[in-house]
Amino acid sequence: MKALIAATAALASLVAPGPAGSAPVPTDPPARPAPATRADLPAPGEGWYLAAVEQGRPGREGLRGERLRLELVAPDGDRTRVGRALRPGWRLVDWSADGSTALLTVDQPHRVVLRVDVTTGDVTRSRLPDRVAEVILAPDGDGLLTVDYEGRDTRAPLKRVSADGAVTRLTPDVDGPVLPTPDGTGLVTHGPSWRQRAIRLLSSADGSVQTVIPTPRRCTPVRWWDDHRVLVTCLAHGATTLGLVDMHAATYTRLTARRHPQRSDLGHLDARRADGRLYVQVAGPCGYAYLGRRHPNGRITHVEVPHAVGNVLLVDAHDGRLTLQHAINCDGAAPRSALASFDPSTGKERRLVVLPRDRAFAAVLPYGERRPTGY
């Protein structure tokens, strides 16, 4: 799933602005003013997003990145830069649930992480061992959680690295993404072997197993669906479907299924509810991703989004609307990257942010929503 997500994020990069809804797109839309840079950054809240925006030279195969910036995006689309620009290669991998801290990582020439104070723009830089494969913020705010690769046995131990550099080994092998619980006391992950059909809850303090919940196939966490259920992707016959694991009742419920033949449906990566219906992030051929709607009989159909070009990525849902990231094209002009609020009941879209031709979204994280390692 990680490869599919990375492919969809890389391909969903460029876009062109225009008015909301299905009205014609102007051939030369006015440029939006550059985002403000403030000493006292706004405090993010519900409906806000933290975006990594790549800047560079547009080319035939997309943007040739020259620098990366963090930007806060308000519910009305107002943007505020956070911190200084970074060189290419940095990835936004985590944002704390309270919105105060962002975590970025880069692999070359060494494994380095940046903790960015989103309220001040201050940056703390530290180096990690090169064997670290994935890293996120520790759920209690003290240091980091890392998934390492050790030796030829391909084991992936989970470790805590505290603020003073002390390393604590929590469990010898996690074999998949690790998702912190909302209260910071636990970690949701797959079993220690890819063959295991279960979701485990580990203690974030010492890595001990608190709960093991059987699943029908190999499943890994995506995000929290609500305060006690986790959305998971489950692998079967070379493709993924979605389910919900109730951490309180210790039960699994299937959310989506694939109907054969489905040449354009290669798996389901995420889902959101809006207007009483379920909308699914579907992986299509050649790394293409699109928005689908699940019907009562389980069938998933393609949802058309006005003026969208290429990938349509499902970011969030609020008040019956979906937040989407996709590309739009203006009468054959160079495509541009956009973040938009989409009403699936009417098929109309309100664009929050449309970036210039030399910029593209590299990642967009919703406020208050933790993501697992490797997302």
Side-chain angles (χ1 to χ4, degrees), residues 334-374:
R336 298 187 186 181
S337 190
L339 189 67
S341 176
F342 176 65
D343 186 344
S345 63
T346 64
K348 294 184 178 181
E349 185 176 78
R350 183 177 71 250
R351 289 166 198 163
L352 302 175
V353 176
V354 179
L355 296 176
R357 291 183 178 91
D358 65 345
R359 294 183 181 125
F361 288 113
V364 180
L365 300 182
Y367 172 83
E369 185 174 285
R370 293 299 301 273
R371 299 296 176 95
T373 57

Side-chain angles (χ1 to χ4, degrees), residues 60-99:
R60 287 186 176 182
E61 298 180 356
L63 206 65
R64 299 175 184 175
E66 297 176 351
R67 60 183 63 87
L68 188 80
R69 292 185 182 276
L70 288 183
E71 294 185 2
L72 279 172
V73 181
D76 62 0
D78 184 43
R79 296 151 56 205
T80 306
R81 288 176 181 164
V82 178
R84 58 181 178 82
L86 302 170
R87 61 182 175 83
W90 287 96
R91 292 187 303 126
L92 174 62
V93 296
D94 202 5
W95 190 20
S96 61
D98 63 2

Side-chain angles (χ1 to χ4, degrees), residues 179-183 186-190 198-203 209-215 220-221 223-232 243-253:
L179 176 67
T181 58
D183 64 3
L187 303 166
V188 178
T189 185
H190 178 248
I199 285 289
R200 297 182 301 167
L201 175 65
L202 310 179
S203 165
V209 178
Q210 306 297 301
T211 307
V212 178
I213 303 173
T215 55
T220 57
R223 60 181 179 82
W224 285 91
W225 187 255
D226 52 31
D227 61 356
H228 62 96
R229 290 181 296 175
V230 175
L231 179 69
V232 296
L244 294 175
V245 175
D246 191 316
M247 304 304 295
H248 290 175
T251 58
Y252 168 90
T253 303

Side-chain angles (χ1 to χ4, degrees), residues 103 111-113 115 124-148 150 157-171 187 204-206 373:
L103 187 72
R111 190 70 162 167
V112 177
V113 293
R115 292 174 60 111
T124 302
R125 180 187 183 103
S126 59
R127 180 175 171 179
L128 295 174
D130 291 339
R131 65 178 179 272
V132 171
E134 304 295 346
V135 58
I136 58 172
L137 295 164
D140 59 5
D142 179 23
L144 307 170
L145 291 179
T146 68
V147 177
D148 297 4
E150 290 187 349
L158 176 67
K159 300 177 181 179
R160 173 193 290 270
V161 181
S162 65
D164 61 4
V167 178
T168 304
R169 187 180 176 117
L170 298 180
T171 186
L187 303 166
S204 62
D206 59 12
T373 57

